[in-house]
DNA sequence: TCTGGGGTCCTAGGACCC
DNA sequence: TCTGGGGTCCTAGGACCC
């Protein structure tokens, strides 16, 4: 039988912030989404006060002041850097690792032998705590879905001391445990499914595990039927341990204020294309098409709404920022209408293919293409060294003009990724 | 004049995840 | 006044072909 572990950082963003702000330990802390929009992470203390994930910050503000909740803007460079460190440390614990998100990964421990997995996982926890100062929980089981569930149990039930290995339970103990957990805790069961399942009398994880597979498939989908199988210990989701290339790359942001003009939107689109194209080159891919979208504020019910998008194919696949940008801005021109208050724009790179599989264009000017590729690499190197906006496409504008950029009122410094913002130790 | 069915490809949209 | 940003996979339905 296989053994899969799911390792997950507790309250990841809050824990990262606390590393450099030990004064925040034991205090209610929340981290806000881009634009300081809503809550995306909360400490145990904030959760205990009733702060819900996704709560808009403007609604929470008064309550937060009353209860001395500390709110921070999200600091993704810091979280990404800590994530890289933790993932590389965890990779030493298994030959097979699937990095599933910024704060969690699966490890295949099948080859490790079954006897001492709990101790092995405890070793991981203490090494991560000691080297990086971050708290993690570990769930172990025979499938990914069960490992996610085990992780949930490890977090919720203190008696497991941060590591829950479901394979150590006998059948009746496992049945009893699964009968305590609401079906909504299962990976792949969201709000819609939860409500529909409850109506059918499927309320606990145990109910779902024991539900009729073909019925679930018919009433819901093959996806949920796979989940049922996985809960029974049948592997349907295999471990993807190669960091495979993304199939689409997106870059979008809400603005700090409403935007009305084509010029401002074009400037934003150029910034997003620049960011997306960099990611594209980093995974050595080319894009065959680019989608541009702009949006008005959906929460502003009385204001006129306009949320167009357009997909523009490229004449030939490319990773050239300037080329992609020209196409994107042209696409923007097709959908832009004056007279609306736009609050968000985004671009998506589509039809990605590996650089190596680029079609050969007999009519292309090889010398020109090579120069452009060199230009892109040079640009990436300069931006890598001097900051992401050191040089870019012409329309991107200078930062002082970009007053539409997102609001980040409470951002902590880039403690680990910028020399100028390193934490400083003061001698007593 | 009458008339069919199977297959593929693409797209939009929905559900889910963190 | 102020409500995130990335992703994945699947399905249904239409267009088109033979």
């Amino acid at each position: 039988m296989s053994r899969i572990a799911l390792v997950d950082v507790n309250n990841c963003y809050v824990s990262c912030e606390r590393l450099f702000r030990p004064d925040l330990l034991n205090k209610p802390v929340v981290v806000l989404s881009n634009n300081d929009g809503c809550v995306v992470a909360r400490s145990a203390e904030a959760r205990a006060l009733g702060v819900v994930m996704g709560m808009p910050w403007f609604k929470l503000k008064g309550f937060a002041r009353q209860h001395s909740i500390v709110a921070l803007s999200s600091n993704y460079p810091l979280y990404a850097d800590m994530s890289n460190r933790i993932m590389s440390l965890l990779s030493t614990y298994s030959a097979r690792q699937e990095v599933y998100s910024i704060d969690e990964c699966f490890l295949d421990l099948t080859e490790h032998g079954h006897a001492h997995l709990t101790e092995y996982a405890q070793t991981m926890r203490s090494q991560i705590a000691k080297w990086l100062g971050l708290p993690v929980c570990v769930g172990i089981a025979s499938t990914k879905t069960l490992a996610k569930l085990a992780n949930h149990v490890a977090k919720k039930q203190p008696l497991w001391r941060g590591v829950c290995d479901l394979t150590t339970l006998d059948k009746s103990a496992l049945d009893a445990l699964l009968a305590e957990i609401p079906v909504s805790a299962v990976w792949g069961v969201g709000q819609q499914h939860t409500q529909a399942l409850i109506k059918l009398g499927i309320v606990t994880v145990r109910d779902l595990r024991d539900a009729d597979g073909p019925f679930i498939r018919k009433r819901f989908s093959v996806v949920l039927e796979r989940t049922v199988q996985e809960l029974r210990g049948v592997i349907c989701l295999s471990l993807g341990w190669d960091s495979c290339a993304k199939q689409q790359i997106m870059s979008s942001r809400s603005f700090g204020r409403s935007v009305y003009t084509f010029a401002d939107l074009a400037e934003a689109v150029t910034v997003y294309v620049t960011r997306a194209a960099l990611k594209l080159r980093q995974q050595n891919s080319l894009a065959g098409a680019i989608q541009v979208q702009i949006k008005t504020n959906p929460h502003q019910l009385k204001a006129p709404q306009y949320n167009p998008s357009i997909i523009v194919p490229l004449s030939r696949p490319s990773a050239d920022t300037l080329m992609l940008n020209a196409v994107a801005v042209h696409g923007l021109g097709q959908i832009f209408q004056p007279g609306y208050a736009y609050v968000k724009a985004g671009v998506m790179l589509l039809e990605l293919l590996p650089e190596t599989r680029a079609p050969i264009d007999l009519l292309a000017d090889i010398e020109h293409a090579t120069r452009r590729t060199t230009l892109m690499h040079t640009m990436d190197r300069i931006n890598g060294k001097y900051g992401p906006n050191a040089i870019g496409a012409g329309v991107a504008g200078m930062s002082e003009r970009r007053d539409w950029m997102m609001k980040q009122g409470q951002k902590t410094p880039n403690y680990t990724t910028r020399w100028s913002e390193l934490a400083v130790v003061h001698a007593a």
Side-chain angles (χ1 to χ4, degrees):
Chain A
M1 203 204 285
S2 63
R3 291 290 186 280
I4 314 279
L6 190 266
V7 187
D8 177 315
V9 182
N10 304 347
N11 311 324
C12 181
Y13 299 168
V14 171
S15 300
C16 289
E17 296 289 352
R18 280 174 166 169
L19 284 176
F20 296 91
R21 292 282 308 274
D23 58 300
L24 298 179
L25 284 167
N26 306 315
K27 291 198 181 132
V29 180
V30 298
V31 174
L32 305 175
S33 64
N34 280 324
N35 241 341
D36 294 344
C38 54
V39 175
V40 290
R42 67 237 209 272
S43 70
E45 298 79 10
R47 188 175 326 176
L49 286 169
V51 176
V52 182
M53 282 289 248
M55 196 182 265
W57 170 234
F58 74 89
K59 283 189 184 169
L60 184 66
K61 229 174 199 166
F63 180 84
R65 203 170 298 135
Q66 266 171 37
H67 292 85
S68 312
I69 298 175
V70 177
L72 301 171
S73 304
S74 37
N75 184 346
Y76 283 102
L78 172 63
Y79 314 147
D81 184 53
M82 294 313 298
S83 174
N84 289 337
R85 295 175 194 223
I86 219 167
M87 294 308 165
S88 90
L89 185 51
L90 281 171
S91 72
T92 64
Y93 283 83
S94 165
R96 293 176 165 180
Q97 176 187 39
E98 176 188 342
V99 177
Y100 179 68
S101 74
I102 192 163
D103 72 334
E104 61 189 299
C105 75
F106 291 100
L107 297 173
D108 186 351
L109 301 183
T110 309
E111 301 302 318
H112 187 75
H114 299 165
H116 306 293
L117 284 185
T118 300
E119 290 94 299
Y120 191 57
Q122 289 294 0
T123 314
M124 282 179 211
R125 293 186 75 221
S126 41
Q127 193 182 14
I128 292 168
K130 192 169 172 187
W131 288 26
L132 301 173
L134 292 170
V136 303
C137 282
V138 185
I140 302 168
S142 56
T143 65
K144 286 168 82 172
T145 303
L146 284 170
K148 287 281 282 189
L149 196 69
N151 188 277
H152 171 87
V153 173
K155 280 215 179 86
K156 295 266 168 183
Q157 304 185 0
L159 69 107
W160 292 90
R161 295 177 42 247
V163 177
C164 170
D165 181 353
L166 288 181
T167 66
T168 61
L169 299 179
D170 64 23
K171 186 174 181 322
S172 61
L174 182 62
D175 283 359
L177 181 63
L178 297 190
E180 283 174 28
I181 308 172
V183 71
S184 59
V186 174
W187 190 38
V189 177
Q191 270 194 331
Q192 311 290 319
H193 285 355
T194 299
Q195 288 183 17
L197 286 167
I198 289 175
K199 276 193 191 131
L200 294 164
I202 299 170
V203 179
T204 68
V205 180
R206 186 179 169 182
D207 295 337
L208 184 60
R209 180 198 65 184
D210 297 339
D212 181 50
F215 168 76
I216 293 292
R217 181 184 194 132
K218 192 153 169 280
R219 173 69 181 68
F220 296 88
S221 64
V222 291
V223 183
L224 195 60
E225 190 198 15
R226 283 204 283 257
T227 300
V228 170
Q229 294 295 329
E230 286 247 317
L231 287 175
R232 294 176 188 164
V234 180
I235 293 178
C236 300
L237 307 172
S238 54
L239 209 61
W241 45 85
D242 287 326
S243 65
C244 38
K246 300 269 186 282
Q247 297 172 39
Q248 53 189 48
I249 291 172
M250 199 194 256
S251 176
S252 70
R253 289 282 184 287
S254 299
F255 306 133
R257 61 158 174 89
S258 295
V259 159
Y260 301 89
T261 66
F262 179 81
D264 279 346
L265 286 174
E267 197 176 78
V269 161
T270 300
V271 171
Y272 304 157
V273 169
T274 303
R275 192 150 40 204
L278 174 62
K279 287 192 211 168
L280 184 69
R281 291 191 292 272
Q282 283 170 344
Q283 68 165 39
N284 301 314
S285 298
L286 304 173
I290 182 164
Q291 181 183 55
V292 183
Q293 29 183 323
I294 47 180
K295 284 170 87 91
T296 50
N297 189 343
H299 303 287
Q300 203 83 55
L301 296 174
K302 285 180 205 149
Q305 300 287 316
Y306 181 52
N307 307 303
S309 74
I310 186 173
I311 296 178
V312 193
L314 274 73
S315 55
R316 103 184 91 91
S318 170
D320 183 320
T321 300
L322 305 181
M323 158 99 75
L324 291 166
N325 187 50
V327 173
V329 171
H330 181 256
L332 176 67
Q334 313 261 301
I335 56 175
F336 173 76
Q337 291 288 338
Y340 292 97
Y342 297 99
V343 296
K344 183 174 179 175
V347 301
M348 195 157 27
L349 303 181
L350 305 165
E351 292 170 31
L352 307 192
L353 77 168
E355 233 164 38
T356 50
R357 290 201 14 237
I360 295 167
D361 184 348
L362 295 176
L363 300 176
D365 177 346
I366 304 285
E367 203 185 321
H368 179 251
T370 313
R371 272 205 308 272
R372 282 295 273 267
T373 308
T374 311
L375 171 63
M376 287 303 123
H377 287 143
T378 308
M379 215 170 86
D380 293 346
R381 277 214 310 280
I382 292 174
N383 286 334
K385 193 164 177 185
Y386 297 104
N389 301 314
I391 59 171
V395 203
M398 304 312 286
S399 46
E400 54 271 25
R401 253 211 65 208
R402 287 190 217 148
D403 63 337
W404 47 265
M405 291 236 313
M406 65 179 177
K407 289 183 284 206
Q408 286 199 301
Q410 335 279 335
K411 191 168 160 293
T412 51
N414 293 310
Y415 302 107
T416 62
T417 53
R418 283 216 179 181
W419 288 110
S420 59
E421 299 179 21
L422 284 188
V424 177
V425 178
H426 297 275

